[in-house]
Amino acid sequence: YCKQRKHMGSYRKRENWDYPVCEECRLKREEEESKIHCVECNERKDRRSYRNHVDWDNPTCKDCLERLEHEEYEKWQAEQSELAQLRQQQRDAMDEQELRDYFADIVSRARTLASQCRQREHLVCPSKTQQWAKRLVELVLLEEREPGLDARWRIETPSRAHASDKDAAEIFKGFEDKGDELVQERASTFFQRFIAREQSAKVNLRQFLDEVEPTGRHSWIWKDAVVVSVRPVTATWPSSACEDLRAEPMSGSVYPGPKDFAQFDIDAPDKLRTVLYCKVTEVEVKLFSSSLWESIEEFLYEGNMDLGSHNQTFTKVYGHAGGIAAGANRTEVMNMVADLLGFQDIDTEKSSHLCYQIWAETCRQQLHSEALDVTYGSGGEFKADKIWQQKKEANVAEALIGALDSAGLDKLVSAVSGLCFLMYMDPLSDTIPSNWAMAEKLLALKEREDWEENLDWYQRHFDKDAFITEMDRWLS
């Protein structure tokens, strides 16, 4: 098979000596024969590369299924965006009564969807959320009276490419870009802190290795939490040992740097005894919620713990953090946060004013009574961006966050980002976004996705008390 001359010990005792195949080649051949052909990528892959529930007559591997699902979702989003533009054109041509009838249909659709969902508690009581929003407005107004917070975040400008006033656009878009970045950064951190319940501890290495216990086939548990990674405190990883260790997912490297965390997989205790036992007395360990870890393993491996690895589960946790980061920055989510903060453009001459007024008559009283005046754009420079009308509220909300950061108001940045984080996971059920395109998008998402299942998952793992404590502290 390999056409190499080998010692008799390399063959099975009952070998067919007319056509001998060594044990190494036999194992390789059996492994290759056990692989399954994926009908999508046309590659032969190990059974572990497939989901448990798959059509084995036409098997498609996990990677291909995820790619196809992503492509389908991207296509759906593009279709929704085109549909939103068409509906905007239709609304622009409507008179007041037609607009009122149109909005009544949106409200009816929202109520029908709500009636189909079982009654349940919100992650955080809506009155508490509204209390935070009201306090945020008070603090923003207070900071604007001081020399620190630049109020130019309130005045939307066209994109840099389309603006005639380049200086104003540079200021506003600079705030907006920074806000966009910060929302995602903070939301990812919030996932790790309040859902994965990440914590760290410094502990004596020998004591730690004596106390850890295996959980499943891939990881270890210590003090009721999963140990995801570890690093030395008083020293660095020996350069000769780094290639025996694995860096954390998303670190951008296969191996950890001298002071980086290394994954604490099933082989980690033996590795640490080899590379650190005589050099280090104290290590820092990073811990995640054991219930979250178990739920992700159940999702990935469907009870078959022969599959997967510590790295695969760890990577999936960070994938969830990335999903929360992107979700908290969704346009409809930012719109809901703008509504919570009372954003309103009081210019009655703008074509969008009537739509806002109709929304306010139905939904405004369900939010806090304060108003934060802003100026949304209008005219040809703004309309050069085809989807500007769908995202103007989000643009100004992001600009507020960027301006708060520029003024050094880090606690308020976290507080606004915390509202985005919360509104993505659990949007208020008794109101809809003031931007009608975003209201329709949110309803379409709820109808498409299993919103209740996602909310159930968040409720199981969300550290509500810790989140409330932090929001209260940021707004104190």
Side-chain angles (χ1 to χ4, degrees), residues 345-360:
D345 188 337
I346 59 175
D347 185 348
T348 59
E349 299 301 317
K350 289 178 181 172
S351 59
S352 60
H353 179 77
L354 179 57
C355 288
Y356 180 84
Q357 180 182 325
I358 294 170
W359 170 85

Side-chain angles (χ1 to χ4, degrees), residues 64-165:
C64 288
L65 280 173
E66 289 177 1
R67 175 180 56 80
L68 291 170
E69 288 165 357
H70 178 72
E71 289 174 356
E72 180 186 357
Y73 184 68
E74 289 288 309
K75 180 181 178 182
W76 178 82
Q77 282 195 313
E79 291 171 350
Q80 290 298 308
S81 180
E82 291 178 6
L83 186 57
Q85 293 179 48
L86 177 60
R87 286 171 173 164
Q88 183 64 54
Q89 293 171 3
Q90 293 171 341
R91 287 194 294 270
D92 289 343
M94 291 180 183
D95 61 27
E96 180 174 345
Q97 187 56 52
E98 289 172 327
L99 285 171
R100 289 187 178 279
D101 292 342
Y102 187 99
F103 188 71
D105 287 341
I106 296 177
V107 172
S108 174
R109 184 177 161 198
R111 287 173 177 164
T112 299
L113 189 60
S115 69
Q116 294 169 353
C117 300
R118 63 183 184 272
Q119 294 297 312
R120 54 140 49 81
E121 291 185 1
H122 284 276
L123 294 179
V124 175
C125 177
S127 62
K128 182 66 173 176
T129 304
Q130 292 160 19
Q131 178 186 328
W132 287 332
K134 186 173 183 178
R135 177 60 177 157
L136 254 170
V137 172
E138 292 171 354
L139 292 173
V140 166
L141 293 173
L142 179 64
E143 293 295 340
E144 284 185 337
R145 287 195 288 270
E146 302 295 326
L149 181 57
D150 190 336
R152 285 177 289 183
W153 68 267
R154 293 175 179 251
I155 304 172
E156 187 187 19
T157 70
S159 66
R160 293 180 179 91
H162 299 124
S164 54
D165 188 341

Side-chain angles (χ1 to χ4, degrees), residues 215-231:
T215 176
R217 296 283 297 274
H218 313 302
S219 305
W220 297 84
I221 199 165
W222 183 66
K223 296 187 181 300
D224 299 322
V226 172
V227 184
V228 295
S229 54
V230 62
R231 67 179 175 187

Side-chain angles (χ1 to χ4, degrees), residues 384-421:
D385 179 351
K386 291 183 179 179
I387 61 172
W388 156 73
Q389 288 179 308
Q390 301 174 36
K391 61 181 184 177
K392 58 184 187 293
E393 295 85 3
N395 291 345
V396 179
E398 289 173 344
L400 168 60
I401 296 170
L404 291 169
D405 176 71
S406 181
L409 301 169
D410 190 68
K411 288 184 178 180
L412 298 189
V413 170
S414 290
V416 182
S417 301
L419 288 180
C420 298
F421 172 70

Side-chain angles (χ1 to χ4, degrees), residues 182-193:
L182 285 168
V183 168
Q184 297 187 61
E185 176 189 296
R186 298 291 166 99
S188 177
T189 300
F190 296 161
F191 174 89
Q192 290 167 231
R193 185 172 180 182

Side-chain angles (χ1 to χ4, degrees), residues 284-446:
E284 182 179 3
V285 297
K286 186 182 292 185
L287 308 168
F288 281 173
S289 160
S290 59
S291 65
L292 174 107
W293 193 266
E294 290 167 6
S295 74
I296 289 178
E297 285 190 324
E298 177 62 30
F299 170 79
L300 288 173
Y301 317 130
E302 298 178 320
N304 186 351
M305 295 311 295
D306 290 331
L307 303 179
S309 65
H310 180 87
N311 177 66
Q312 187 175 353
T313 308
F314 200 172
T315 300
K316 189 65 176 178
V317 174
Y318 277 166
H320 278 295
I324 285 277
N329 193 225
R330 278 182 174 179
T331 312
E332 70 276 9
V333 172
M334 300 300 296
N335 187 175
M336 286 187 284
V337 171
D339 293 338
L340 273 170
L341 297 177
F343 285 16
Q344 66 172 15
D345 188 337
I346 59 175
D347 185 348
T348 59
E349 299 301 317
K350 289 178 181 172
S351 59
S352 60
H353 179 77
L354 179 57
C355 288
Y356 180 84
Q357 180 182 325
I358 294 170
W359 170 85
E361 291 170 1
T362 304
C363 302
R364 191 81 199 101
Q365 68 273 18
Q366 297 167 16
L367 305 174
H368 74 83
S369 58
E370 297 292 327
L372 202 52
D373 293 342
V374 299
T375 301
Y376 296 128
S378 62
E381 291 183 0
F382 288 91
K383 291 181 179 179
D385 179 351
K386 291 183 179 179
I387 61 172
W388 156 73
Q389 288 179 308
Q390 301 174 36
K391 61 181 184 177
K392 58 184 187 293
E393 295 85 3
N395 291 345
V396 179
E398 289 173 344
L400 168 60
I401 296 170
L404 291 169
D405 176 71
S406 181
L409 301 169
D410 190 68
K411 288 184 178 180
L412 298 189
V413 170
S414 290
V416 182
S417 301
L419 288 180
C420 298
F421 172 70
L422 183 60
M423 286 300 97
Y424 169 65
M425 294 190 296
D426 186 18
L428 298 178
S429 57
D430 55 356
T431 188
I432 54 179
S434 60
N435 186 313
W436 295 10
M438 292 302 98
E440 291 175 317
K441 179 183 177 184
L442 180 62
L443 294 176
L445 285 167
K446 284 189 173 184

Side-chain angles (χ1 to χ4, degrees), residues 7-29:
H7 188 273
M8 285 284 290
S10 300
Y11 296 84
R12 294 182 178 180
K13 290 182 180 180
R14 297 181 179 179
E15 186 60 56
N16 179 353
W17 296 110
D18 293 329
Y19 301 98
V21 179
C22 68
E23 185 68 10
E24 182 181 354
C25 289
R26 184 180 298 279
L27 290 173
K28 286 181 179 178
R29 185 175 67 186

